[in-house]
Amino acid sequence: MQATLQPLSDVELALLRGSPLLQGVSEHNLHQLAARAAFCTLQGNAALIKAEEYGEALYVLLSGELAVHLPGSVRHELARILPGETVGEQSLIDGRPHSAEIGRAHV
């Protein structure tokens, strides 16, 4: 996974504003959050989140789609993550390792 620092576009800021987790966050704080964020681009079949690993980050999907799978079950997709939705928050909250794998969805 590659992380880069870059300013958010108006579309990306709108997605952050629309994220249920970030609703109610002031415009000022949203810009502060975006200024401190690292932006990741998934390449190929790289996993964003791996099962049984402890979470260290919360992710807000800005573009594309992610697929959620149980470990070792790539063919059985449990859910799709769409732009504006978040992943990784449960592990941050409860301190437990991730229970599923999340990576790029194949269209």
Side-chain angles (χ1 to χ4, degrees):
M1 183 170 28
Q2 177 185 1
T4 59
L5 294 177
Q6 59 194 27
L8 287 179
S9 70
D10 290 338
V11 172
E12 292 166 332
L13 276 171
L15 284 170
L16 286 179
R17 278 187 212 102
S19 173
L21 186 67
L22 299 175
Q23 286 182 354
V25 173
S26 72
E27 192 73 16
H28 174 76
N29 287 340
L30 195 61
H31 282 274
Q32 284 187 324
L33 175 67
R36 290 175 175 80
F39 299 90
C40 305
T41 302
L42 288 180
Q43 302 294 329
N45 291 327
L48 178 65
I49 290 178
K50 294 181 181 178
E52 305 304 320
E53 290 186 358
Y54 286 89
E56 297 179 0
L58 164 77
Y59 301 94
V60 179
L61 183 62
L62 297 177
S63 65
E65 294 183 8
L66 297 174
V68 180
H69 302 277
L70 290 177
S73 177
V74 175
R75 294 177 189 241
H76 182 70
E77 185 177 299
L78 298 174
R80 285 255 170 152
I81 308 299
L82 302 174
E85 295 182 313
T86 58
V87 294
E89 66 274 14
Q90 185 170 342
S91 185
L92 287 176
I93 292 168
D94 66 18
R96 295 182 186 167
H98 296 293
S99 57
E101 296 182 2
I102 300 176
R104 287 178 55 191
H106 298 286
V107 191

